[in-house]
Amino acid sequence: MTPKAVFWDMDGTLVDSEPLHEAALVAALHSIGIPPPTNLHQRVLGVAAWPVYEMLRDEFGLDLPFDAWIVRKYDHYLPMAETLVPRAGAIEIFNELRALGVEQAVVSNSDRLIVDANLSAVGLVYPGMKTISRNDVREGKPHPEPFLRAAWLAGVDPAEAVAVDDSRTGAMAGLAAGMKTIFWPEAPMEGPPGAIVINSADELRGELGLR
């Protein structure tokens, strides 16, 4: 059965942007003489900018103020954003749900600047589209607030909504919001307890009642 609402993570779920985020982070670190940690990808996947900054500051000696740091990272990221491509199958499913009248929103731990740039790069922009960025909530994922705000904007009970996310951080937020949560990682891995783990767009279609 098709759900009343589907709320999508952006980076890594709708848009194949995680490699660009990591490349921008590595370039920004190199620019100030800090070697990136070998497990950087695992430590920052799905995590908002401020906790990543705190980790780099506390463990690796980043001594720039946050505002100066994030400008440096985005100076590397934004010129690359136009090269972004959608995650295979994701936007097709988004558009199919939209044609069926299913409420949808993009729920991201990224700043508004990045949300708008990414969605514009892959052509996922239309009047009335609902998007929640890290700037729109007090607490980012894994807190449930971003997904709960999406439910409020869409006018649906969280229990009637589905959250789709590629990171454990995001899946934990969906579960905490009381939503059916689909964990669609970029590489096969175990999801948080309670999440439905899938590994393909075809599986996602099945979970959303589209076949």
Side-chain angles (χ1 to χ4, degrees), residues 6-10 13-14 90 93-94 97 104-107 164 204:
V6 178
F7 303 135
W8 301 79
D9 173 57
M10 180 183 69
T13 303
L14 281 170
I93 294 172
F94 188 106
L97 291 169
Q104 296 183 95
V106 175
V107 181
V164 184
L204 179 59

Side-chain angles (χ1 to χ4, degrees), residues 174-194:
L175 292 165
M179 298 178 181
K180 174 181 176 179
T181 299
I182 299 174
F183 179 53
W184 185 18
E186 295 179 86
M189 69 177 69
E190 184 178 347

Side-chain angles (χ1 to χ4, degrees), residues 51-72:
V52 170
Y53 168 77
E54 289 183 311
M55 180 267 289
L56 295 171
R57 180 195 64 197
D58 297 345
E59 297 184 35
F60 298 96
L62 175 61
D63 61 0
L64 290 175
F66 175 77
D67 288 348
W69 162 252
I70 205 64
V71 166
R72 186 175 290 257

Side-chain angles (χ1 to χ4, degrees), residues 153-209:
L153 288 173
V156 301
D157 189 311
E160 298 178 302
V162 174
V164 184
D165 210 297
D166 73 304
S167 73
R168 289 181 60 90
T169 299
M172 290 166 61
L175 292 165
M179 298 178 181
K180 174 181 176 179
T181 299
I182 299 174
F183 179 53
W184 185 18
E186 295 179 86
M189 69 177 69
E190 184 178 347
I196 298 166
V197 181
I198 63 168
N199 291 294
S200 70
D202 191 52
E203 288 180 85
L204 179 59
R205 290 178 56 82
E207 292 292 340
L208 295 176

